[in-house]
């Protein structure tokens, strides 16, 4: 069995990596050298810049398993998606070898995809979190907050369906690149503004018409400009939860497990509570580490 290995979550803008000795994480690494920030350098060169200090500790070599956008056509080696329905236990059977690192043993985890009438979707990186989360907290539904939030429907240990909601990216674009965020000045945290926005979003069936009203409200003095970011976050998350509650009719009976960091998890907890959806949470990094360990151990089976 592989005991010592490196697990990497290599995304579009950032990278997180963990050095494992059995179940123990002995070191961590974070970098902003995501796949969109290679600056013309080949991926192999970036890999060695980041990991040679760790590799030097293992002259006989150490296995490396990478997940995320590193397996996309913008990454290192395009790694085919596994089509859903996809059993989580089968993901390890489809790891892509990184031959450029030979004789080192290295692989890239495939993402998951759905290609159906009415639902075309892809994920990379989240599948590894799902492997870990499902082993620790089996659930019928998972929500994975982030730039592109994933809602995942399970059938036992099989990913039956998932949807992507661009809540995080839309919030960023509206605040930073549209009139909604123009002239709002320095922002501050406000639980009250988030809650107010969330309640409006949850009860709104036409969210697009509400977006410009976010600007109008602070221009006309109904909304403090310093909490526009919080109000808009609530508006979008509240509407997301309302829409996905309609998408998955039995979610109120079966509940949801949130996979994410504490900040986003707390926001989704509040929105799920408003919707009457039972929920629990697991830390996103813990889920990824658990998932990558499972995939590595299955390599030997």
């Amino acid at each position: 069995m592989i005991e010592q290995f490196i697990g990497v979550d290599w995304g579009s803008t950032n990278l997180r990596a963990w050095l494992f000795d059995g179940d123990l994480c002995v070191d961590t690494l974070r970098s902003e050298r995501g796949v969109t920030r290679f600056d013309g350098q080949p991926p192999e060169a970036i890999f060695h810049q980041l990991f040679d200090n760790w590799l030097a500790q293992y002259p006989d070599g150490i296995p490396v398993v990478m997940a995320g956008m590193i397996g996309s056509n913008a990454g290192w080696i395009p790694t085919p998606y596994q089509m859903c329905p996809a059993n989580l236990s089968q993901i390890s059977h489809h790891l892509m070898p990184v031959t450029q690192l030979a004789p080192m043993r290295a692989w890239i985890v495939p993402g998951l995809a759905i290609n159906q009438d009415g639902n075309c979707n892809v994920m990379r990186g989240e599948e590894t979190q799902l492997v870990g989360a499902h082993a620790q907290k089996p659930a019928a539904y998972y929500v994975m907050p982030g730039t592109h939030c994933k809602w995942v429907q399970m059938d036992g240990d099989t990913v039956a369906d998932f949807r992507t909601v661009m809540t995080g990216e839309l919030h960023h674009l509206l605040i930073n690149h549209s009139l909604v965020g123009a002239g709002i000045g320095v922002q501050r945290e406000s639980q009250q503004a988030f809650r107010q926005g969330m309640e409006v979003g949850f009860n709104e069936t036409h969210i697009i018409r509400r977006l410009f009203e976010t600007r109008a409200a602070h221009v006309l003095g109904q909304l403090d400009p310093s909490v526009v970011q919080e109000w808009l976050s609530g508006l979008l998350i509240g509407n997301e939860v309302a829409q996905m509650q309609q998408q998955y009719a039995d979610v109120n009976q079966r509940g949801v497990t949130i996979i994410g960091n504490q900040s986003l998890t707390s926001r989704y907890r509040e929105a799920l509570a408003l919707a009457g959806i039972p929920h629990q949470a697991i830390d996103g990094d813990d889920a990824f580490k658990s998932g990558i360990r499972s995939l590595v151990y299955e390599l030997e089976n």
Side-chain angles (χ1 to χ4, degrees), residues 139-176:
Y141 291 98
Y142 293 95
V143 59
M144 311 171 81
T147 303
H148 300 147
C149 183
K150 306 292 185 184
W151 286 72
V152 181
Q153 182 184 41
M154 301 295 297
D155 181 6
D157 59 357
T158 294
V159 178
D161 185 70
F162 67 91
R163 302 277 172 156
T164 304
V165 189
M166 295 175 61
T167 302
E169 182 171 2
L170 183 57
H171 182 271
H172 174 80
L173 291 172
L174 289 169
I175 290 295
N176 294 286

Side-chain angles (χ1 to χ4, degrees), residues 7-291:
V8 186
D9 183 4
W10 206 328
S12 296
T13 56
N14 297 286
L15 171 149
R16 296 170 298 170
W18 297 269
L19 178 61
F20 290 95
D21 188 346
D23 289 337
L24 181 65
C25 178
V26 297
D27 203 357
T28 61
L29 183 152
R30 293 179 181 268
S31 170
E32 294 183 353
R33 298 305 297 274
V35 301
T36 61
R37 296 174 175 175
F38 285 176
D39 299 327
Q41 291 185 280
E44 185 176 356
I46 302 294
F47 176 88
H48 283 291
Q49 290 170 20
L50 293 170
F51 295 109
D52 273 356
N53 286 340
W54 281 358
L55 299 178
Q57 302 174 38
Y58 301 91
D60 295 330
I62 182 171
V64 181
V65 179
M66 297 173 277
M69 290 300 289
I70 194 65
S72 72
N73 57 10
W76 194 339
I77 300 175
T79 303
Y81 292 103
Q82 296 303 299
M83 302 305 296
C84 292
N87 192 288
L88 293 178
S89 66
Q90 298 299 307
I91 291 176
S92 64
H93 299 172
H94 301 279
L95 303 191
M96 175 69 73
V98 184
T99 56
Q100 293 93 328
L101 294 176
M104 180 190 306
R105 292 188 294 167
W107 302 268
I108 294 176
V109 182
L112 300 181
I114 291 179
N115 188 6
Q116 303 171 351
D117 290 342
N119 185 13
C120 291
N121 257 293
V122 295
M123 68 166 68
R124 287 198 187 273
E126 294 95 346
E127 77 292 320
T128 303
Q129 289 184 314
L130 283 172
V131 171
H134 198 67
Q136 295 184 42
K137 294 185 176 181
Y141 291 98
Y142 293 95
V143 59
M144 311 171 81
T147 303
H148 300 147
C149 183
K150 306 292 185 184
W151 286 72
V152 181
Q153 182 184 41
M154 301 295 297
D155 181 6
D157 59 357
T158 294
V159 178
D161 185 70
F162 67 91
R163 302 277 172 156
T164 304
V165 189
M166 295 175 61
T167 302
E169 182 171 2
L170 183 57
H171 182 271
H172 174 80
L173 291 172
L174 289 169
I175 290 295
N176 294 286
H177 302 288
S178 83
L179 274 174
V180 171
I184 59 176
V186 176
Q187 297 294 285
R188 61 182 175 87
E189 294 184 6
S190 172
Q191 181 63 26
Q192 181 181 6
F194 174 81
R195 178 77 186 187
Q196 290 172 343
M198 181 184 64
E199 290 175 350
V200 171
F202 186 80
N203 292 295
E204 178 57 71
T205 57
H206 301 288
I207 190 65
I208 291 177
R209 71 183 180 191
R210 283 288 185 177
L211 299 180
F212 188 80
E213 290 179 20
T214 304
R215 171 173 171 77
H218 79 78
V219 168
L220 296 173
Q222 289 194 27
L223 180 64
D224 184 342
S226 70
V227 299
V228 167
Q229 184 168 293
E230 289 284 296
W231 196 91
L232 181 63
S233 175
L235 180 77
L236 295 174
I237 291 174
N239 191 256
E240 173 191 335
V241 169
Q243 294 299 315
M244 298 313 295
Q245 187 179 36
Q246 294 179 34
Q247 176 69 40
Y248 298 118
D250 63 344
V251 69
N252 279 63
Q253 290 71 46
R254 307 189 73 180
V256 166
T257 294
I258 312 168
I259 307 172
N261 63 52
Q262 183 176 357
S263 176
L264 278 176
T265 294
S266 65
R267 291 174 183 260
Y268 276 78
R269 277 187 179 276
E270 191 165 351
L272 291 167
L274 177 64
I277 300 174
H279 55 275
Q280 58 181 346
I282 182 171
D283 179 77
D285 281 355
D286 288 346
F288 185 90
K289 288 185 286 185
S290 175

